[in-house]
Coordinates of all heavy atoms in Angstrom, one line a residue:
I94 N 5.9 -7.5 -8.4 CA 6.2 -6.1 -8.5 C 7.0 -5.5 -7.3 O 7.9 -4.8 -7.4 CB 4.9 -5.3 -8.7 CG1 4.3 -5.6 -10.0 CG2 5.1 -3.8 -8.6 CD1 2.9 -5.0 -10.2
V95 N 6.6 -6.0 -6.1 CA 7.3 -5.5 -4.9 C 8.8 -5.9 -4.9 O 9.7 -5.1 -4.7 CB 6.6 -6.0 -3.6 CG1 7.5 -5.8 -2.4 CG2 5.3 -5.4 -3.4
V96 N 9.1 -7.2 -5.2 CA 10.4 -7.7 -5.2 C 11.2 -7.0 -6.3 O 12.4 -6.6 -6.1 CB 10.4 -9.2 -5.4 CG1 11.9 -9.8 -5.5 CG2 9.8 -9.9 -4.2
G97 N 10.6 -7.0 -7.5 CA 11.4 -6.3 -8.6 C 11.6 -4.9 -8.4 O 12.7 -4.4 -8.7
K98 N 10.6 -4.1 -7.9 CA 10.8 -2.7 -7.8 C 11.8 -2.4 -6.7 O 12.6 -1.5 -6.9 CB 9.4 -2.1 -7.5 CG 9.4 -0.6 -7.3 CD 8.1 0.0 -7.1 CE 7.3 -0.1 -8.4 NZ 6.0 0.7 -8.3
V99 N 11.7 -3.0 -5.6 CA 12.6 -2.8 -4.5 C 14.1 -3.1 -4.9 O 15.0 -2.4 -4.6 CB 12.2 -3.6 -3.2 CG1 13.3 -3.5 -2.1 CG2 10.9 -3.0 -2.6
T100 N 14.3 -4.3 -5.5 CA 15.6 -4.7 -6.0 C 16.2 -3.7 -7.0 O 17.3 -3.2 -6.8 CB 15.5 -6.1 -6.6 OG1 15.0 -7.0 -5.6 CG2 16.9 -6.5 -7.0
L101 N 15.4 -3.3 -8.0 CA 15.9 -2.4 -9.0 C 16.2 -1.0 -8.5 O 17.1 -0.4 -8.8 CB 14.9 -2.4 -10.2 CG 15.3 -1.5 -11.4 CD1 16.6 -2.1 -12.0 CD2 14.2 -1.4 -12.4
S102 N 15.3 -0.6 -7.6 CA 15.4 0.8 -7.0 C 16.6 0.8 -6.1 O 17.4 1.9 -6.0 CB 14.2 1.2 -6.2 OG 13.1 1.2 -7.1
L103 N 16.9 -0.2 -5.3 CA 18.1 -0.3 -4.4 C 19.4 -0.2 -5.3 O 20.3 0.6 -4.9 CB 18.1 -1.5 -3.6 CG 17.1 -1.5 -2.4 CD1 17.1 -2.9 -1.8 CD2 17.6 -0.5 -1.3
L104 N 19.4 -0.9 -6.3 CA 20.6 -0.9 -7.2 C 20.8 0.4 -7.9 O 21.9 0.9 -8.0 CB 20.5 -2.1 -8.2 CG 20.5 -3.5 -7.7 CD1 20.3 -4.5 -8.8 CD2 21.8 -3.8 -7.0
A105 N 19.7 1.0 -8.3 CA 19.8 2.3 -9.0 C 20.2 3.4 -8.0 O 21.1 4.2 -8.3 CB 18.4 2.7 -9.6
A106 N 19.7 3.4 -6.8 CA 20.1 4.3 -5.8 C 21.6 4.1 -5.4 O 22.3 5.1 -5.1 CB 19.2 4.2 -4.5
L107 N 22.0 2.9 -5.3 CA 23.4 2.6 -5.0 C 24.3 3.2 -6.1 O 25.4 3.8 -5.7 CB 23.6 1.1 -4.9 CG 25.0 0.6 -4.7 CD1 25.5 0.9 -3.3 CD2 25.1 -0.9 -4.9
A108 N 23.9 3.0 -7.3 CA 24.8 3.6 -8.4 C 24.8 5.1 -8.4 O 25.8 5.7 -8.6 CB 24.2 3.1 -9.7
L109 N 23.6 5.7 -8.1 CA 23.6 7.2 -8.1 C 24.3 7.8 -6.9 O 24.8 8.9 -7.1 CB 22.1 7.6 -8.1 CG 21.3 7.4 -9.3 CD1 19.8 7.7 -9.1 CD2 21.8 8.2 -10.5
V110 N 24.4 7.1 -5.8 CA 25.0 7.7 -4.6 C 26.5 7.4 -4.5 O 27.3 8.2 -4.2 CB 24.2 7.3 -3.4 CG1 24.9 7.8 -2.1 CG2 22.8 7.8 -3.4
Y111 N 26.8 6.2 -4.8 CA 28.2 5.7 -4.4 C 29.1 5.5 -5.7 O 30.2 5.0 -5.5 CB 28.1 4.4 -3.6 CG 27.4 4.6 -2.3 CD1 26.1 4.1 -2.1 CD2 28.0 5.3 -1.3 CE1 25.5 4.3 -0.9 CE2 27.4 5.5 -0.1 CZ 26.1 5.0 0.1 OH 25.5 5.2 1.3
Y112 N 28.6 5.8 -6.8 CA 29.4 5.7 -8.0 C 29.5 7.1 -8.7 O 28.6 7.8 -8.7 CB 28.8 4.7 -9.0 CG 29.0 3.2 -8.7 CD1 28.1 2.6 -7.8 CD2 30.1 2.5 -9.2 CE1 28.3 1.3 -7.5 CE2 30.3 1.2 -8.9 CZ 29.4 0.6 -8.0 OH 29.6 -0.7 -7.6
R113 N 30.7 7.3 -9.3 CA 30.9 8.5 -10.0 C 30.5 8.3 -11.5 O 31.2 7.7 -12.3 CB 32.4 9.0 -10.0 CG 32.8 9.4 -8.5 CD 34.2 9.8 -8.5 NE 34.6 10.3 -7.2 CZ 35.9 10.7 -6.9 NH1 36.8 10.7 -7.8 NH2 36.2 11.0 -5.6
L114 N 29.3 8.8 -11.8 CA 28.8 8.6 -13.1 C 28.8 9.9 -13.9 O 28.6 11.0 -13.3 CB 27.3 8.1 -13.1 CG 27.1 6.8 -12.3 CD1 25.6 6.5 -12.2 CD2 27.8 5.6 -12.9
P115 N 29.1 9.9 -15.2 CA 29.0 11.1 -16.0 C 27.5 11.6 -16.1 O 26.6 10.8 -16.3 CB 29.5 10.6 -17.4 CG 29.3 9.2 -17.4 CD 29.5 8.7 -16.0
Y116 N 27.4 12.9 -15.9 CA 26.0 13.5 -16.0 C 25.1 12.8 -14.9 O 23.9 12.5 -15.3 CB 25.5 13.4 -17.4 CG 26.4 14.0 -18.4 CD1 27.0 13.1 -19.3 CD2 26.6 15.3 -18.5 CE1 27.9 13.6 -20.3 CE2 27.4 15.8 -19.5 CZ 28.1 15.0 -20.4 OH 28.9 15.5 -21.3
E117 N 25.6 12.6 -13.8 CA 24.8 11.9 -12.7 C 23.5 12.7 -12.4 O 22.5 12.1 -12.3 CB 25.7 11.7 -11.5 CG 24.9 11.1 -10.3 CD 25.7 11.1 -9.0 OE1 27.0 11.0 -9.1 OE2 25.1 11.2 -7.9
R118 N 23.7 14.0 -12.2 CA 22.5 14.8 -11.9 C 21.5 14.8 -13.0 O 20.3 14.7 -12.8 CB 22.9 16.2 -11.5 CG 21.8 17.1 -11.0 CD 22.3 18.4 -10.5 NE 23.1 18.1 -9.3 CZ 22.6 18.1 -8.1 NH1 21.3 18.2 -7.9 NH2 23.4 17.9 -7.0
A119 N 22.0 14.8 -14.2 CA 21.1 14.8 -15.4 C 20.3 13.5 -15.5 O 19.1 13.5 -15.8 CB 21.8 15.1 -16.7
V120 N 21.0 12.4 -15.2 CA 20.4 11.1 -15.2 C 19.3 11.0 -14.1 O 18.2 10.5 -14.3 CB 21.4 10.0 -15.0 CG1 20.7 8.6 -14.7 CG2 22.4 9.9 -16.1
F121 N 19.6 11.6 -12.9 CA 18.6 11.5 -11.8 C 17.4 12.4 -12.2 O 16.3 12.0 -11.9 CB 19.3 12.0 -10.6 CG 18.4 12.0 -9.4 CD1 17.8 10.9 -8.9 CD2 18.1 13.2 -8.7 CE1 16.9 10.9 -7.8 CE2 17.2 13.3 -7.6 CZ 16.7 12.1 -7.2
M122 N 17.6 13.6 -12.8 CA 16.5 14.4 -13.2 C 15.7 13.8 -14.2 O 14.5 13.9 -14.3 CB 17.1 15.8 -13.7 CG 17.7 16.6 -12.6 SD 16.6 16.9 -11.2 CE 15.3 17.8 -12.0
F123 N 16.3 13.0 -15.2 CA 15.6 12.3 -16.2 C 14.7 11.3 -15.6 O 13.5 11.1 -16.0 CB 16.5 11.7 -17.2 CG 15.8 10.9 -18.3 CD1 15.2 11.5 -19.3 CD2 15.8 9.5 -18.2 CE1 14.5 10.8 -20.3 CE2 15.1 8.8 -19.2 CZ 14.5 9.4 -20.2
I124 N 15.2 10.6 -14.5 CA 14.4 9.6 -13.8 C 13.2 10.3 -13.2 O 12.0 9.7 -13.2 CB 15.2 8.9 -12.8 CG1 16.3 8.0 -13.4 CG2 14.3 8.0 -11.9 CD1 17.3 7.4 -12.5
L125 N 13.4 11.4 -12.6 CA 12.3 12.1 -11.9 C 11.2 12.7 -12.9 O 10.1 12.8 -12.6 CB 12.8 13.3 -11.0 CG 13.6 12.9 -9.8 CD1 14.0 14.1 -9.0 CD2 12.8 11.9 -8.9
L126 N 11.7 13.0 -14.1 CA 10.8 13.5 -15.1 C 9.8 12.5 -15.6 O 8.7 12.9 -16.1 CB 11.6 14.1 -16.3 CG 12.3 15.4 -16.2 CD1 13.2 15.7 -17.4 CD2 11.3 16.5 -15.9
T127 N 10.1 11.2 -15.4 CA 9.1 10.2 -15.8 C 7.9 10.3 -15.0 O 6.8 9.8 -15.4 CB 9.8 8.8 -15.7 OG1 10.2 8.6 -14.3 CG2 11.0 8.7 -16.6
L128 N 7.9 10.9 -13.8 CA 6.8 11.1 -13.0 C 5.8 12.1 -13.6 O 4.6 12.1 -13.2 CB 7.2 11.6 -11.6 CG 8.0 10.6 -10.7 CD1 8.5 11.3 -9.4 CD2 7.2 9.4 -10.4

Side-chain angles (χ1 to χ4, degrees):
I94 292 175
V95 168
V96 174
K98 181 175 290 189
V99 170
T100 302
L101 184 62
S102 300
L103 283 172
L104 294 175
L107 176 69
L109 289 172
V110 176
Y111 298 107
Y112 283 85
R113 294 182 178 178
L114 303 175
Y116 307 106
E117 174 187 332
R118 186 171 294 274
V120 171
F121 180 62
M122 293 303 298
F123 178 77
I124 293 174
L125 292 182
L126 283 175
T127 59
L128 296 173

